[in-house]
Amino acid sequence: MENLDLISILGSTIRLSIPLIFTALAGLFTERAGVFDIGLEGKMLFSAFAAAVAAFMTGSPWLGLLAGITVSVLISLIHGFASITNRGNQIVSGVAINFLASGLTAVLGQAWFSQGGRTPPLAASARFTEIVFPYAAELRDTGFLGRFYANIISGHNILTYLAFLAVPASWWVLYRTRFGLRLRAVGENPGAVDTAGISVTFLRYRATICAGILCGFAGTYLSIAQSAGFVKDMSAGKGYIALAALIFAKWRPVPVMLACLLFGFLDAFANFMQGKSVPGIGEVPVQIFQALPYVLTCVLLAGFIGVARPPKAGGVPYVKER
Amino acid sequence: MSPTPTAAPAIELIGIDKKFGAVHANKNINLTVAKGSIHGIIGENGAGKSTLMSILYGFYHADAGSIRINGQNTVIQDSQAAISAGIGMVHQHFMLVENFSVLENVILGVEGGALLGRGVSDARSALKRLEADYGLEVDPDAIIEELPVGLQQRVEILKALYRGAEILILDEPTGVLTPAEADHLFKILGVLRDQGKTIVLITHKLREIMAITDTVSVMRRGEMVATRRTTETTVEELAELMVGRRVLLRVEKGPAAPSDVVLSVRNLTVKDGRGVTMVDNVSFDVRAGEVVGIAGVAGNGQSELLEAITGIRKPASGEILIHGKPVTGFDSARLRALGLGHIPEDRHHMGLVLGFEESENSVLGYHRDSRYGRGPLLDLDACREDAKAKIEKYDIRPPNCRLKTANFSGGNQQKIVVAREIERDPALLVVGQPTRGVDIGAIEFIHRRLIAMRDAGKAVLLVSVELDEIRSLSDRILVMFAGRVVGEKTPDTGEQTLGLMMAGIAA
Ligand SMILES: Nc1ncnc2c1ncn2[C@@H]1O[C@H](COP(=O)(O)OP(=O)(O)O)[C@@H](O)[C@H]1O
Ligand SMILES: [Mg+2]
């Protein structure tokens, strides 16, 4: 019984972590390039909506993914236009995107489908469904390892596996390629990049496009992999949790994944504890568990993980002539 | 080392003009620099030197004018174009990524391929060669922020050389260096010139110009006012050209008339944040009507001494008295109330809030005074009137008390601090590096103000790493080395004697 609980909590930990991982990696790209990205939440929501609509219209999850990514990249470009080209305030631009996403997706959803802001439920063929690995069914009842294989390793949709691939891929891009070197440099000292003969503007745009693509995966996962359609405000603050994970991980890819898994675990644990009583205390309001990721971030940032130094040029538009 | 007259000049700037909004930074500038020479550009802060060279490096775009490199018309639309034309620049504020290694900084922009692997190892060996050729040793794997500024500068030079620079521009390279480091830099520049490279050196230190350049150009308020062969000019002439009038390079002052002791420091020991003893059992007095100068190489405890006296850092032991009253451990507000004025060493870090208006900085620290407001409210009109009076009296330019402080030049920013502290008429004025990064016109002005304070019977404690400044202002000189006062000298003591004491060699 105990084991079964652990396995199921771990299984849902993974499912809940995936959107966080994609989103936090998205933030990693923009913020390391010196552009603050509060709008992750909004991008995720926009792409969730776009993916659900496209999957419903075409019946293809892949076209849904394509739509999700396209819309998310477009929103990123708007953020880039406001904060890179026009040197606007990056926080304001991001917050505006979040409000816009929350309002516009609900309004469009209602206008197009008249289902209270939802999109119509998707058939299984229009979704990313679980991939079952060989022998998973046979091994399901053969002790802990078997269950682990069947429920944790096997049985997820393709986007889940892509999320875990995206982590080393991001690391490789950031630390092993010319683009990554320049991207990390522009977030610390855009002057160094400029005087090295590289366009700061173009570089930062490319970073926000990377973020758009990753957010597109996150949103698509929410609406057509984890669920079977778009629901109003379904991102539910995950963009902010992803930002917390990013800070927590000090803007590094592998720690980002671990932080997201931790937050996913807390979420899964909260769900699991719902309605259950804690020995000696009784039933604990579920909100306590839901608050845990935030509390944890505050506590850990306040002293346990050392100084989380953000990229030095973060949030500051590059202005040469006053 | 006279350049061959037949070769085309390395650099020709023709009619360069540049405006930043209302500021006319470069007015129709013409400049020719011969190949294989060291050319100095001097001028006061804000004269437009950095702007001109940044245009040559493609960092700014000129509004008008053209550029020829080695006799070829060259369009430099960005730094990439400048680099391809063989130009390298070491900026006044280093353009380094601080959390990158030396190697990563060097290859940024010339990575040699989309993947880093090969380029990095090529760069490593190329760097080794450059180090050996020019005596520019630096660990390629060191992280920039852990290197002292002297080495950071070396990385900037390596960056330029690695990109194949034949023309090297250095913008005020010695501002951050100790005299020994500066000498070393000049040696390197000499080697580079002997190998046929062309060097442009921006500075406002006349001595450096005389010591190392072949030719020198003077800029004043956006204009190029003169170009001379260094051997055919003098420090006095250059100073006059720079400022546009005759300047006194040494203040005139009468003998001091010291009276009562104002500041007493007794067996003071101060530790820094890491617990290292920076000031070690120091005792001295400063009397009304005298300037006591503390000489020493930067980092020998002067900063911590100042911080302890002005209430910014708590001493570990010992006593500080003002007018005989113990004030050890008082905070700066209480000390100010007792008549202490403080011109801090680093105006950006401690003296000013750069984002504030001039008028706000001009009352900062005294803003609780009843003159500037009542209760929690500030009387902005009173602050601005007061600021205007100071602007007038101290000739702070531009004369606009509503302008953001960051938009004033270094010399004028320093005058804002000096005006604020001196106009309070303190009995004791503690001054750190009063003219660091300040042009000579303003230096002269600030020096005269300090002497006027002394003559008005105030006690002045002066800390400076500029030996000239210490010698020309002080009535008594204390030399600090490794946290201790290693001796007291009169201001007519030779530079060499003081230099040896500062190095901890003689007492
Ligand atoms: N990026 C900039 N934007 C606006 N004004 C500037 C900028 N850089 C320099 N200036 C102004 O141009 C003038 C010349 O500055 P600068 O070339 O830095 O002088 P110098 O290097 O001789 O001290 C100054 O008045 C300065 O305030
Ligand atoms: Mg300059």
Side-chain angles (χ1 to χ4, degrees):
Chain A
M1 195 62 199
E2 278 289 298
N3 274 342
L4 185 78
D5 289 342
L6 183 64
I7 293 284
S8 76
I9 291 177
L10 287 184
S12 62
T13 294
I14 293 198
R15 281 186 287 280
L16 292 166
S17 306
I18 299 309
L20 296 181
I21 292 178
F22 277 127
T23 314
L25 288 177
L28 183 71
F29 275 91
T30 32
E31 301 218 338
R32 292 252 19 194
V35 181
F36 281 165
D37 210 353
I38 289 279
L40 292 172
E41 173 86 6
K43 276 184 262 191
M44 192 174 4
L45 200 56
F46 264 124
S47 67
F49 180 73
V53 171
F56 174 72
M57 307 296 259
T58 64
S60 156
W62 293 102
L63 288 177
L65 177 64
L66 186 67
I69 289 176
T70 309
V71 167
S72 173
V73 167
L74 285 177
I75 304 293
S76 289
L77 290 175
I78 293 177
H79 183 53
F81 184 68
S83 57
I84 304 171
T85 304
N86 288 321
R87 299 170 187 149
N89 184 305
Q90 300 169 3
I91 305 292
V92 173
S93 162
V95 170
I97 286 173
N98 290 345
F99 279 124
L100 193 67
S102 171
L104 199 59
T105 50
V107 167
L108 287 179
Q110 175 64 17
W112 292 346
F113 305 106
S114 312
Q115 297 188 7
R118 291 164 179 268
T119 59
L122 295 171
S125 64
R127 295 179 54 215
F128 288 111
T129 47
E130 285 72 35
I131 300 169
V132 180
F133 282 17
Y135 308 112
E138 288 84 342
L139 291 171
R140 191 175 298 277
D141 298 315
T142 56
F144 184 80
L145 278 182
R147 279 203 304 278
F148 192 85
Y149 177 74
N151 292 310
I152 312 287
I153 309 284
S154 158
H156 299 286
N157 60 69
I158 180 92
L159 298 185
T160 305
Y161 300 107
L162 286 180
F164 286 103
L165 272 182
V167 176
S170 299
W171 177 88
W172 185 79
V173 168
L174 278 177
Y175 293 96
R176 286 291 178 268
T177 69
R178 174 173 68 192
F179 171 62
L181 181 82
R182 294 177 173 188
L183 186 145
R184 286 181 290 128
V186 82
E188 290 290 325
N189 183 358
V193 168
D194 191 3
T195 54
I198 306 160
S199 162
V200 171
T201 306
F202 184 43
L203 193 50
R204 286 191 164 166
Y205 264 107
R206 280 183 289 166
T208 56
I209 290 173
C210 290
I213 294 172
L214 286 161
C215 270
F217 277 97
T220 305
Y221 179 89
L222 285 183
S223 65
I224 69 175
Q226 197 175 35
S227 332
F230 177 84
V231 183
K232 183 173 179 303
D233 284 330
M234 75 186 305
S235 52
K238 288 193 175 57
Y240 300 109
I241 300 258
L243 277 179
L246 191 57
I247 298 171
F248 195 31
K250 302 184 184 174
W251 293 268
R252 290 169 305 170
V254 173
V256 157
M257 178 188 74
L258 297 177
C260 290
L261 284 171
L262 177 64
F263 289 162
F265 173 79
L266 292 175
D267 207 1
F269 187 67
N271 290 343
F272 174 75
M273 289 307 289
Q274 202 155 11
K276 297 201 176 61
S277 64
V278 178
I281 303 177
E283 197 169 312
V284 178
V286 68
Q287 285 81 359
I288 300 250
F289 293 106
Q290 285 168 348
L292 270 182
Y294 299 99
V295 174
L296 194 75
T297 308
C298 291
V299 170
L300 291 174
L301 282 184
F304 290 93
I305 57 163
V307 189
R309 202 193 73 161
K312 219 183 238 151
V316 193
Y318 183 54
V319 182
K320 281 209 280 196
E321 306 191 11
R322 296 185 292 269
Chain B
M1 245 359 84
S2 61
T4 356
T6 48
I11 309 168
E12 283 171 278
L13 301 179
I14 304 140
I16 299 287
D17 211 272
K18 175 72 185 172
K19 280 185 184 159
F20 291 111
V23 178
H24 204 161
N26 284 166
K27 298 175 192 162
N28 189 22
I29 304 262
N30 296 305
L31 174 71
T32 304
V33 178
K35 206 179 245 158
S37 69
I38 299 185
H39 186 93
I41 296 184
I42 56 166
E44 296 191 284
N45 277 330
K49 309 177 295 289
S50 299
T51 303
L52 183 67
M53 286 302 122
S54 300
I55 287 172
L56 177 58
Y57 189 64
F59 190 73
Y60 297 133
H61 292 263
D63 301 332
S66 58
I67 297 173
R68 285 182 198 211
I69 303 297
N70 299 325
Q72 303 277 313
N73 270 323
T74 310
V75 178
I76 298 183
Q77 76 277 17
D78 58 17
S79 299
Q80 186 60 58
I83 293 167
S84 321
I87 304 170
M89 179 159 177
V90 176
H91 293 262
Q92 192 167 359
H93 304 286
F94 297 156
M95 296 294 186
L96 294 170
V97 182
E98 299 212 320
N99 61 354
F100 275 21
S101 69
V102 170
L103 200 59
E104 287 174 313
N105 270 287
V106 168
I107 64 170
L108 186 66
V110 280
E111 297 86 348
L115 302 184
L116 292 181
R118 263 270 302 293
V120 173
S121 48
D122 288 354
R124 194 180 284 278
S125 43
L127 217 51
K128 280 237 168 61
R129 273 200 305 281
L130 286 175
E131 286 178 9
D133 288 354
Y134 301 107
L136 287 163
E137 285 88 18
V138 49
D139 172 11
D141 297 308
I143 302 297
I144 296 294
E145 60 198 352
E146 288 162 9
L147 293 177
V149 268
L151 285 184
Q152 294 187 4
Q153 182 176 67
R154 209 170 269 190
V155 177
E156 284 282 36
I157 297 174
L158 282 170
K159 258 170 73 179
L161 295 177
Y162 182 71
R163 287 163 173 71
E166 285 300 316
I167 297 170
L168 185 62
I169 306 163
L170 296 110
D171 194 351
E172 304 211 9
T174 57
V176 296
L177 301 183
T178 64
E181 286 174 321
D183 285 344
H184 186 75
L185 172 68
F186 290 157
K187 272 203 205 90
I188 293 168
L189 296 185
V191 172
L192 289 169
R193 171 190 47 196
D194 294 348
Q195 301 199 344
K197 304 212 190 279
T198 308
I199 290 165
V200 179
L201 177 72
I202 301 179
T203 179
H204 55 235
K205 296 188 183 164
L206 293 166
R207 190 152 15 134
E208 296 174 353
I209 291 286
M210 302 311 285
I212 146 154
T213 63
D214 301 307
T215 44
V216 52
S217 295
V218 186
M219 288 186 74
R220 187 198 322 145
R221 300 203 187 166
E223 284 173 276
M224 190 60 88
V225 291
T227 296
R228 298 272 188 276
R229 282 186 168 281
T230 310
T231 47
E232 292 164 10
T233 186
T234 60
V235 171
E236 286 74 21
E237 186 195 18
L238 292 177
E240 191 175 335
L241 284 166
M242 250 166 96
V243 186
R245 60 178 162 79
R246 284 194 56 84
V247 257
L248 294 170
L249 294 174
R250 259 186 106 89
V251 275
E252 285 172 355
K253 58 171 198 195
S259 54
D260 304 338
V261 172
V262 177
L263 172 71
S264 253
V265 173
R266 296 271 159 270
N267 306 102
L268 191 72
T269 296
V270 186
K271 298 191 168 162
D272 70 1
R274 300 160 297 164
V276 178
T277 302
M278 293 305 286
V279 176
D280 191 0
N281 196 19
V282 163
S283 303
F284 62 89
D285 289 339
V286 184
R287 294 171 177 275
E290 69 169 351
V291 177
V292 174
I294 297 190
V297 177
N300 275 286
Q302 304 97 310
S303 303
E304 289 76 13
L305 177 66
L306 283 186
E307 286 173 5
I309 293 174
T310 54
I312 294 164
R313 189 184 288 276
K314 286 232 180 334
S317 64
E319 229 190 339
I320 301 167
L321 306 124
I322 291 183
H323 290 304
K325 183 171 176 276
V327 298
T328 322
F330 280 26
D331 65 18
S332 42
R334 283 176 82 186
L335 289 169
R336 276 168 198 267
L338 287 172
L340 174 121
H342 179 202
I343 299 174
E345 286 188 300
D346 180 346
R347 57 182 167 268
H348 290 170
H349 187 201
M350 279 202 242
L352 297 165
V353 181
L354 289 180
F356 277 14
E357 283 179 12
E358 194 275 344
S359 65
E360 293 171 309
N361 272 309
S362 152
V363 301
L364 206 64
Y366 304 108
H367 51 280
R368 300 243 165 92
D369 193 290
S370 59
R371 270 193 289 168
Y372 303 131
R374 206 177 308 134
L377 299 180
L378 276 179
D379 179 350
L380 290 181
D381 288 335
C383 292
R384 285 173 195 154
E385 281 315 310
D386 186 83
K388 279 182 199 152
K390 287 175 187 160
I391 285 175
E392 169 99 28
K393 189 162 173 190
Y394 286 78
D395 188 27
I396 294 168
R397 271 175 286 176
N400 174 3
C401 71
R402 304 295 309 276
L403 192 67
K404 211 169 100 176
T405 311
N407 293 340
F408 286 84
S409 73
N412 284 300
Q413 288 176 356
Q414 186 70 357
K415 282 188 187 174
I416 296 171
V417 179
V418 169
R420 179 180 72 207
E421 301 301 324
I422 289 187
E423 287 306 298
R424 288 295 296 194
D425 201 24
L428 168 64
L429 184 64
V430 177
V431 189
Q433 320 294 352
T435 58
R436 178 185 277 171
V438 170
D439 46 79
I440 58 175
I443 290 178
E444 185 196 17
F445 183 88
I446 291 170
H447 283 178
R448 275 202 261 137
R449 283 281 155 194
L450 293 177
I451 293 300
M453 284 295 280
R454 178 200 80 163
D455 292 343
K458 315 294 180 189
V460 180
L461 177 65
L462 168 73
V463 169
S464 174
V465 292
E466 300 286 342
L467 204 47
D468 280 347
E469 178 164 83
I470 291 281
R471 289 175 69 223
S472 68
L473 292 180
S474 310
D475 300 306
R476 291 191 289 135
I477 299 176
L478 306 175
V479 182
M480 267 186 97
F481 175 73
R484 293 167 181 272
V485 170
V486 292
E488 180 179 331
K489 293 282 170 193
T490 52
D492 48 18
T493 310
E495 199 166 309
Q496 203 147 22
T497 315
L498 290 171
L500 287 176
M501 288 172 71
M502 283 161 61
I505 294 167

